[in-house]
Amino acid sequence: VTTVPELFLTAVKLNHDKTGAKYLHVAREDSNNLFSVQFRTTPMDSTGVPHILEHTVLCGSQKYPVRDPFFKMLNRSLSMFMNAFTASDYTLYPFSTQNPKDFQNLLSVYLDAVFFPCLRPLDFWQEGWRLEHEDPKDPQTPLTFKGVVFNEMKGAFTDNERVFSQHLQNHILPGHTYAVVSGGHPLKIPDLSWEQLKQFHALHYHPSNARFFTYGNFPLEQHLKQIHEEALIKFQKIEPNTGVPPQQLWDKPREHHVTCGTDSFAADPKKQTMVSVSYLLADITDNFETFTLNLLSSLLVGGPNSPFYKALIEAGLGTDFSPDVGFNGSTREAYFSVGLQGIAEENIDTVKQIIARTIDEVIKDGFEEERIEVCFTKLKSK
């Protein structure tokens, strides 16, 4: 139990003896109460299994076998927020509400959805992928791939900035789960089977691999009782082994080139190249180092007075910073990226030289104290 008087809260950290599930409760006099359960989901291929599973568990469960209970609750609940997210190495299911009874109802739906989903084949075919005639009523028409996640990721991979950011993560952290597309690559999604989906759920959606979080002024005891009785009591502890190992460092820098579609609306068709230089940083569990690097990133790229803005943007070589510029702490080891988009291909080396020169100048000259104070204050207020 840790009291944080500056934020008017008390944090309670718990472990479940039988399953090893971890729980963090933040007690605060706030009527907007929040719950989330998250699982470390670390796929080793780009079939999109965590993304498809996120969709499929919300298509009915043992206690609520109706079609899409999650979406039916949107019209029946007093919730302030309901959603689900798939990241590179975890899947998150949060909701918030100000009504105690609504909180219990939503908690029951969420617990049953993630721990006891139906995972029916038809739901997999709908949410994941399937083969279907272009005209379902005419078997003579050509077969085509369809599916909610399949179509979603087809759309995502038409966005050049999204493709750039995805390849950046895949290639700066190539040693484990970050080397694949957790959301699913359209060319790889059809490799996933219904059986593989169920196996992934059995290993990853287990209390031993779960983290629970609650916040607000509702009694913690009620949360613990309901979670234990409706879910945890039905499981035994396992060793999921879903951790992500540290990335092995390289002996020398590496380069990677990605070909993307051209933008027919670009102001200058000859300036459609993006270039970025990225640096692998510290483990994000090192709080002091992470905060320091985040501050350093803000100083380097934040605002028109930053060194890289002056060196890259004001040089007029490109239209804007490259995608994913700055500090990225969404993976086990953070990384920093800086570059330009909307440049001519012949200016790639020029941009890289400017980046190297700017870093040398910052090492030599440092930053103005006033800018450090401003960036520091902004970070503290986040």
Side-chain angles (χ1 to χ4, degrees):
V1 179
T2 304
T3 301
V4 187
E6 297 88 349
L7 300 175
F8 309 102
L9 61 83
T10 300
V12 182
K13 192 175 181 180
L14 302 164
N15 286 321
H16 189 256
D17 291 337
K18 185 181 178 184
T19 64
K22 298 184 185 300
Y23 194 115
L24 176 64
H25 176 70
V26 175
R28 194 167 189 259
E29 279 306 312
D30 188 341
S31 61
N32 192 27
N33 285 257
L34 179 140
F35 166 85
S36 73
V37 58
Q38 41 276 331
F39 305 93
R40 182 185 285 132
T41 46
T42 48
M44 297 305 295
D45 59 44
S46 295
T47 58
V49 57
H51 189 186
I52 294 172
L53 185 58
E54 175 221 313
H55 281 241
T56 312
V57 300
L58 302 176
C59 291
S61 62
Q62 291 180 13
K63 190 187 294 186
Y64 306 101
V66 297
R67 184 76 188 139
D68 292 335
F70 181 85
F71 294 102
K72 284 182 170 59
M73 287 298 291
L74 291 174
N75 298 325
R76 293 169 170 79
S77 169
L78 300 173
S79 67
M80 308 293 289
F81 180 80
M82 290 176 63
N83 216 324
F85 306 97
T86 300
S88 297
D89 56 5
Y90 69 88
T91 306
L92 169 71
Y93 297 86
F95 72 78
S96 67
T97 181
Q98 296 181 334
N99 184 285
K101 183 60 178 176
D102 191 44
F103 189 100
Q104 293 174 22
N105 291 340
L106 287 171
L107 180 56
S108 181
V109 171
Y110 269 63
L111 291 174
D112 210 57
V114 297
F115 290 114
F116 311 108
C118 294
L119 296 182
R120 294 169 287 231
L122 285 174
D123 297 327
F124 169 66
W125 296 333
Q126 172 184 286
E127 302 297 326
W129 72 275
R130 65 187 183 277
L131 281 172
E132 186 176 292
H133 291 285
E134 285 186 357
D135 181 354
K137 297 180 181 179
D138 184 359
Q140 302 303 316
T141 57
L143 287 169
T144 183
F145 285 103
K146 292 188 178 180
V148 175
V149 171
F150 180 83
N151 289 336
E152 180 183 332
M153 296 312 295
K154 272 179 63 179
F157 273 81
T158 62
D159 181 345
N160 287 346
E161 292 193 17
R162 175 83 177 264
V163 172
F164 186 95
S165 297
Q166 181 66 64
H167 278 267
L168 171 57
Q169 177 180 294
N170 294 158
H171 288 87
I172 199 169
L173 293 162
H176 200 260
T177 190
Y178 304 125
V180 305
V181 184
S182 63
H185 193 290
L187 295 178
K188 298 294 184 181
I189 289 174
D191 292 339
L192 181 66
S193 70
W194 175 55
E195 287 295 335
Q196 290 171 326
L197 183 84
K198 293 193 296 180
Q199 291 168 8
F200 192 88
H201 176 269
L203 175 64
H204 293 80
Y205 279 49
H206 190 283
S208 301
N209 192 48
R211 303 291 186 272
F212 294 90
F213 175 73
T214 49
Y215 165 90
N217 60 3
F218 293 164
L220 170 61
E221 294 77 12
Q222 173 62 38
H223 302 337
L224 295 176
K225 182 175 184 293
Q226 185 174 355
I227 293 171
H228 176 73
E229 292 178 353
E230 295 191 15
L232 302 187
I233 197 173
K234 302 172 185 178
F235 290 89
Q236 297 293 330
K237 187 175 183 179
I238 65 169
E239 296 295 335
N241 297 319
T242 55
V244 180
Q247 172 62 45
Q248 293 293 316
L249 299 181
W250 306 332
D251 297 328
K252 58 183 180 180
R254 298 181 183 179
E255 290 193 8
H256 182 72
H257 178 78
V258 183
T259 301
C260 299
T262 58
D263 182 0
S264 57
F265 296 101
D268 187 342
K270 295 182 180 179
K271 290 187 175 183
Q272 298 199 47
T273 297
M274 306 179 194
V275 62
S276 175
V277 178
S278 302
Y279 303 88
L280 190 64
L281 304 176
D283 191 306
I284 59 170
T285 58
D286 186 335
N287 292 329
F288 179 79
E289 188 76 2
T290 299
F291 181 85
T292 304
L293 290 166
N294 205 347
L295 174 61
L296 179 59
S297 172
S298 297
L299 289 165
L300 288 170
V301 299
N305 291 323
S306 63
F308 278 117
Y309 187 95
K310 291 179 178 179
L312 291 173
I313 303 299
E314 293 184 359
L317 293 174
T319 57
D320 199 357
F321 280 127
S322 57
D324 217 12
V325 69
F327 179 85
N328 188 317
S330 63
T331 50
R332 171 175 175 162
E333 288 146 310
Y335 53 91
F336 172 83
S337 303
V338 64
L340 275 177
Q341 60 179 302
I343 69 170
E345 189 171 356
E346 58 265 25
N347 287 330
I348 291 177
D349 287 337
T350 302
V351 172
K352 289 159 66 176
Q353 290 166 9
I354 292 174
I355 292 172
R357 184 172 67 247
T358 303
I359 290 176
D360 289 339
E361 290 172 354
V362 169
I363 293 172
K364 177 184 175 184
D365 302 331
F367 303 99
E368 297 174 1
E369 279 196 35
E370 185 179 349
R371 283 206 67 237
I372 296 175
E373 286 295 327
V374 170
C375 289
F376 184 73
T377 302
K378 285 183 179 179
L379 279 180
K380 285 200 301 181
S381 65
K382 286 185 178 180

